[in-house]
């Protein structure tokens, strides 16, 4: 496994790989790798000949009062995991390599960046789209892999790739969960054992939503009210949003029909946890 810290060395390796006719799979991450990340690496290994993982805590996607400074950066453990998972190249750029000076060019995926997390994290998806565009231009992947766990991010990136005619495919992989249903996340490290137990209500609220839709409920307000009741059982939990939206446009819906995304964000203490599930209301 190669570890590259500069853009130039990634470009060199990519050139050699491409001229050997190899298909490049790319998994962008912020590190503190867990089984969720590994599932993306696994998918990339299945489809591609050469797997690149980037580890970069991207400053431009964090708000001023967010956890950029304290975000976990266990780089040695991450590299070990990548090596074990059969990654070919890990790109670990320094912030100065990615943002050498004032950044004047931004990718803003309008409309899709505004609802859900966009409301609570202004500028977040602009930072995500911009860093992904930069990473795609450096790594030149055939396929890039994203997790359903960050559903809005995956939709934003897919739209950016389509709108800007970027020559790669985006694959979205299922959310990997702990035994109690909690979606795996690097931020779960911030939780105490009790908070981790309590956080299981997040997935339970989503299951409640699916169950109600399966039973024929179509009134989004009513379903959301029931989901909120489930979430209220988290003692230190503060609900940011509970939404049922159209799975493509991410716009709120009153009446559940077709493919919808149920999405929840709860703060447990200072830790912001997101989760979602896709539901096809036509499959009853
Ligand atoms: P992050 O390091 O949190 O930026 O995540 C990097 C990639 O891993 C993103 O595409 C995430 O959606 C994905 N990911 C994070 N957690 C999970 C999970 N529990 N299951 C599947 N994918 C995940």
């Amino acid at each position: 496994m190669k570890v590259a810290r500069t853009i130039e060395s990634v470009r060199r390796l990519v050139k050699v790989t491409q001229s050997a006719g190899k298909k490049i799979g790319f998994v962008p991450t912020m590190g503190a790798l867990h089984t969720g990340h590994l599932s993306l690496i696994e998918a990339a290994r299945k489809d591609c000949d050469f797997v690149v993982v980037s580890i970069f805590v991207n400053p431009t996607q964090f708000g001023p009062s967010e956890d950029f400074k304290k975000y976990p950066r266990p780089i040695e453990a991450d590299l070990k995991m990548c090596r074990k998972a059969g990654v070919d190249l890990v790109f670990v750029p320094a912030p100065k390599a990615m943002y050498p000076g004032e950044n004047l060019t931004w990718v803003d995926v309008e409309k899709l960046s505004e609802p859900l997390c966009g409301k609570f994290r202004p500028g977040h998806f602009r930072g995500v789209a911009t860093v992904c565009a930069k990473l795609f231009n450096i790594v030149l992947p055939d396929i890039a892999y994203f997790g359903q766990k960050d559903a809005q991010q995956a939709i934003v990136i897919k739209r950016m790739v389509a709108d800007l005619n970027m020559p790669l495919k985006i694959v979205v992989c299922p959310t990997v969960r702990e035994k109690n249903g909690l979606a795996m996340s690097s931020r779960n490290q911030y939780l105490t054992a009790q908070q981790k137990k309590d956080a299981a209500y997040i997935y339970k609220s989503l299951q409640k939503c699916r169950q109600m839709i399966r039973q024929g409920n179509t009134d989004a307000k009513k379903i959301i009210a029931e989901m909120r009741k489930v979430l209220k059982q988290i003692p230190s939990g503060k609900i940011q949003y509970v939404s049922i939206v159209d799975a493509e446009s991410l716009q709120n819906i009153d009446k559940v029909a077709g493919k919808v995304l149920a999405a929840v964000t709860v703060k447990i203490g200072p830790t912001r946890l997101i989760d979602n599930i896709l539901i096809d209301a036509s499959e009853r």
Side-chain angles (χ1 to χ4, degrees), residues 3 50 99 153 251:
V3 179
F50 190 85
Y99 299 104
Q153 167 173 284
Q251 292 303 305

Side-chain angles (χ1 to χ4, degrees), residues 151 155 245-251 253 257-261 278-279:
I155 287 173
V245 297
D246 178 272
E248 275 179 25
S249 70
L250 302 182
Q251 292 303 305
I253 48 172
K259 289 193 178 125
V260 300
L261 182 79
L278 278 169
I279 304 165

Side-chain angles (χ1 to χ4, degrees), residues 238-255:
K238 275 211 188 82
I239 299 172
Q240 274 199 342
Y241 66 80
V242 180
S243 299
I244 302 176
V245 297
D246 178 272
E248 275 179 25
S249 70
L250 302 182
Q251 292 303 305
N252 275 317
I253 48 172
D254 297 327
K255 200 169 154 55

